[in-house]
Amino acid sequence: MNGVLRSAFVTLAAGGALFVAMSSPAVAADDDTGVVGGSPASGSTCIINIQGAKGCFQPYGDVIWIKDTSLDGYGVYAKWTNQLKNSSGNWQTYRTGKCSNPGSSGDWAACNKDFYESSSTNAYGGKGSRIQVTACVASIGDDECDTSTWISNNG
């Protein structure tokens, strides 16, 4: 740490500019390995259009689910995006992430998240929260994926 501070001082003393880049924690990736077991509750919205994987969002409890539906030996995961309405009523991406399934064929895995509810005032000063889930099979080469429509988080 002292070496970094010394370098910064030398840069500034020599008339150079020092730029510090920081990413917003609000849009940082949130990648998890899911917990194997259970299954989505009724009222969950699921993607069933992809061969080899099924992804769901369960509003009550804010749970992302991913299931391996094939004996092909490929891993599966769900990517997700959470958008919030700002005070002007426009949607903005707030969080993104990935939920990987460490199990095998037939196993569900769950990643428990904590999203704003649509009815609560959020970090951007508006009301509205929605989630989009993409179920993927980690194939050799390009992964095969399918994405849900936007799902309101009224859980």
Side-chain angles (χ1 to χ4, degrees), residues 28-132:
D30 185 2
D31 296 349
D32 297 312
T33 299
V35 176
V36 174
S39 62
S42 63
S44 299
T45 300
C46 297
I47 307 162
I48 54 173
N49 298 331
I50 186 167
Q51 185 173 349
K54 183 175 184 178
C56 302
F57 173 64
Q58 177 182 312
Y60 181 75
D62 299 336
V63 182
I64 304 293
W65 290 92
I66 184 69
K67 182 178 185 177
D68 189 336
T69 63
S70 178
L71 292 170
D72 59 13
Y74 294 124
V76 297
Y77 60 93
K79 296 184 292 185
W80 55 267
T81 301
N82 173 221
Q83 289 188 339
L84 304 176
K85 269 193 182 176
N86 63 23
S87 58
S88 301
N90 299 314
W91 290 105
Q92 286 183 254
T93 297
Y94 180 61
R95 292 168 59 193
T96 62
K98 178 178 173 181
C99 178
S100 299
N101 184 335
S104 57
S105 180
D107 289 337
W108 280 103
C111 293
N112 196 346
K113 304 282 119 196
D114 187 17
F115 299 122
Y116 280 98
E117 306 301 320
S118 289
S119 59
S120 60
T121 302
N122 61 48
Y124 294 142
K127 288 187 178 183
S129 176
R130 65 185 186 178
I131 287 73
Q132 190 172 51

Side-chain angles (χ1 to χ4, degrees), residues 130-142:
R130 65 185 186 178
I131 287 73
Q132 190 172 51
V133 178
T134 301
C136 298
V137 176
S139 303
I140 296 173
D142 291 336

